[in-house]
Amino acid sequence: MSKKPLKPGTIAAQGADRDGKRPIDPETGAVVPPIHVASTFERGADNSYPKGVVYARDDNPTFKAPEATLCALEGGADAMLFASGMAAAVSVFQALKAGDHVIASKAMYYQLQNWLLGLGTDWGLGVSIVEMSDLDALRGAIRPGATKLIWIETPANPQWAITDIAAVAKIAHEAGAILAVDSTCATPILTQPLSLGADIVMHSATKYLNGHSDLVAGALVTADKDAFWERIETVRRQQGAVLGSFEAAQLLRGMRTLAIRVRTACANAQVLADRLAAHGCIDQVLYPGLKSHTGHEIAARQMNGSFGGMLSIRVNGGEEAAIATAAAVKVWTRATSLGSVESLIEHRASIETRDMGTPRDLLRLSVGIEDVDDLYDDLDAALKAVH
Ligand code: PLP
C-alpha cells in the first residue's frame, strides 16, 4: 500500500479514518457502519465494561466513524460531534473558567456573538470584539495572563472577511492563548486551520459537512488531546448536547460527497461572482475569489486555490430593491442557512438579531451545485424585473 497520505477527496468518499481505514463493520462486513440505537451498554460480571462503552451520552459508538473521518480531513488528534454548531462552539467557551478573557472577531456568526455578549458574559467571561484584519488591534486587545482564547471565523459571515489564521495563531500563542477557528464556510477541503497553527476547529456540520439541509449538527476537532480538550469532553458529557445516532449516520453519508459538492459550489460561486461583478443592477460583489475583495490575497494563500461557495451582493436601490430581488427569484430558494446542494438567497440584515454592520442592501448567496447558467439567469431576471 502507498505510504502517501490520502487526499481529502478520498478520505471523505470512503468515510475513512486518518490511517485510511474504511468503516467496514467487523461483524457483518457491511460497507456502511451500523446505527447503534442503544442508550446503555452491558456491564460484565466482573463489573467492568468489556467493550469500553458505558452510556450513549458519554460514548455513542455511532459517532466513531464520522468523528474519525472529520478528524482525518482536518489533520487533527481527535474530534467530537455535538447536537448543533452552536452547542459545539459554546462548549469551547464553557471549558474556560469564569474571569477568563476571550477575543472574538467582529465579523462572525451573529448568534454566537449574541451568546458571547449575553449568556457568556453573564456567566463570567470577559469578551472583547475586534476587527481581526487589524492585527495591531488584536495585539492591543490582549490582556496578559487573562486572555485564554481567540475565536475567528474565516471566511466570515456575511461579507466573507478573511482572517490570516497563521498570523493570528502566532499572536495567540505568544500571549499564552489558544486559537479556535469556525471553519464552517471553508470546510476541510479548502482550509485546514490546524496545519496553519490553530488549536481547535469548529464546524456547523449542519452546513457543508452534511450538505443537504436535513440535519442540525456541530463538530470540534483538536490539534492536541490536552487538558483543555478533556474539559470540553467533560462539558459535552455533563451538559449532554450530543447528536442523535441517526443524525450521526446521516452526517457520515453527507460527508462522503463533501469534496465533490464543495468543488462544484466553489466553481459555480466564482463564475457567478465574475458575472455579477459586471452586472448593471449590482453595486458590489463580496467574494474572496475576486481580486477586489480585501481578503483575496490571504484567501489565495490559505484556501487551496478556491474561495468557497458563499458570496454576497449589494443591490442597487437599497434594502427595498434587495428584498424585491429575493422575492422575484424562481430557481434560488429564499431561506437562511448555507452549504447545501440547493442554492439559497437571503436578505441577511433581516435575520441578524444584532447589528453586525451588515449593509441593508446585501443579499447573501449560498451557491449550490445546480447548473450555474440557471443560477445566473434566474438572478439576472430577478434583478432586471426589479430595476
Ligand atoms: N457558524 C456559522 C458560520 C454558521 O453559519 C452557523 C449557523 O448558521 C453556526 C456556526 C451555528 O451552527 P448551527 O446552526 O448548526 O448551530
Side-chain angles (χ1 to χ4, degrees):
M1 197 182 115
S2 153
K3 290 247 160 59
K4 273 192 174 167
L6 295 175
K7 300 273 194 301
T10 307
I11 293 169
Q14 299 196 343
D17 67 11
R18 88 180 85 166
D19 300 320
K21 189 162 171 281
R22 284 161 279 148
I24 293 171
D25 178 33
E27 294 284 310
T28 62
V31 299
V32 172
I35 301 175
H36 292 280
V37 295
S39 57
T40 194
F41 299 83
E42 191 182 32
R43 203 188 261 278
D46 63 356
N47 212 33
S48 74
Y49 281 98
K51 305 286 183 194
V53 194
V54 177
Y55 185 63
R57 174 158 45 73
D58 305 353
D59 262 316
N60 185 330
T62 311
F63 292 173
K64 296 293 174 219
E67 285 178 342
T69 298
L70 181 59
C71 190
L73 287 171
E74 290 288 6
D78 201 10
M80 264 191 283
L81 294 180
F82 289 81
S84 67
M86 279 298 289
V90 164
S91 297
V92 175
F93 295 107
Q94 290 186 319
L96 295 169
K97 297 193 173 136
D100 286 347
H101 176 239
V102 305
I103 304 174
S105 351
K106 202 164 163 218
M108 66 186 289
Y109 178 53
Y110 72 97
Q111 283 292 25
L112 186 54
Q113 203 171 95
N114 271 339
W115 186 87
L116 281 170
L117 295 171
L119 294 174
T121 304
D122 290 349
W123 170 71
L125 280 182
V127 180
S128 300
I129 304 293
V130 306
E131 169 58 62
M132 281 292 164
S133 59
D134 184 348
L135 297 181
D136 286 333
L138 173 59
R139 283 189 200 93
I142 285 170
R143 298 184 194 158
T147 303
K148 294 286 167 23
L149 189 138
I150 297 177
W151 182 277
I152 60 174
E153 176 181 322
T154 183
N157 270 293
Q159 304 194 53
W160 316 112
I162 300 293
T163 296
D164 186 335
I165 298 171
V168 174
K170 192 160 176 284
I171 293 170
H173 295 156
E174 280 166 8
I178 64 169
L179 173 64
V181 180
D182 181 341
S183 198
T184 298
C185 294
T187 83
I189 302 303
L190 304 181
T191 307
Q192 290 163 320
L194 303 181
S195 73
L196 297 168
D199 302 283
I200 291 177
V201 179
M202 174 256 155
H203 287 279
S204 166
T206 313
K207 318 297 187 201
Y208 287 100
L209 294 182
N210 180 58
H212 294 78
S213 302
D214 55 6
L215 66 79
V216 173
L220 297 175
V221 186
T222 185
D224 292 306
K225 283 172 95 167
D226 54 12
F228 188 64
W229 184 250
E230 276 174 27
R231 269 180 79 84
I232 301 174
E233 282 179 326
T234 303
V235 170
R236 186 179 74 166
R237 186 177 317 116
Q238 295 188 351
Q239 298 196 171
V242 288
L243 196 63
S245 300
F246 292 102
E247 283 81 358
Q250 200 169 341
L251 175 59
L252 180 64
R253 176 183 162 136
M255 275 199 288
R256 287 179 172 234
T257 54
L258 176 68
I260 193 166
R261 286 186 284 102
V262 169
R263 283 189 210 119
T264 303
C266 287
N268 280 355
Q270 185 73 54
V271 169
L272 286 176
D274 289 338
R275 288 191 198 168
L276 293 169
H279 200 286
C281 305
I282 289 179
D283 181 40
Q284 191 184 10
V285 177
L286 295 154
Y287 184 62
L290 294 179
K291 290 205 172 73
S292 58
H293 192 275
T294 49
H296 177 72
E297 241 176 74
I298 297 166
R301 258 198 340 258
Q302 74 183 21
M303 293 187 73
N304 291 350
S306 293
F307 298 91
M310 297 302 299
L311 66 131
S312 293
I313 54 176
R314 297 189 61 185
V315 178
N316 284 339
E319 175 166 18
E320 218 176 299
I323 292 175
T325 302
V329 292
K330 304 260 183 306
V331 176
W332 295 72
T333 301
R334 276 179 305 284
T336 196
S337 201
L338 59 95
S340 188
V341 286
E342 75 281 347
S343 292
L344 306 179
I345 187 166
E346 177 179 47
H347 180 250
R348 191 63 184 168
S350 293
I351 192 100
E352 291 176 343
T353 52
R354 71 178 300 110
D355 182 4
M356 300 296 290
T358 300
R360 305 291 313 182
D361 57 7
L362 182 145
L363 292 175
R364 188 182 85 164
L365 308 180
S366 171
V367 181
I369 63 168
E370 302 95 329
D371 189 293
V372 72
D373 289 333
D374 289 336
L375 295 175
Y376 179 79
D377 290 346
D378 188 43
L379 264 181
D380 177 49
L383 285 160
K384 284 179 178 152
V386 168
H387 286 87

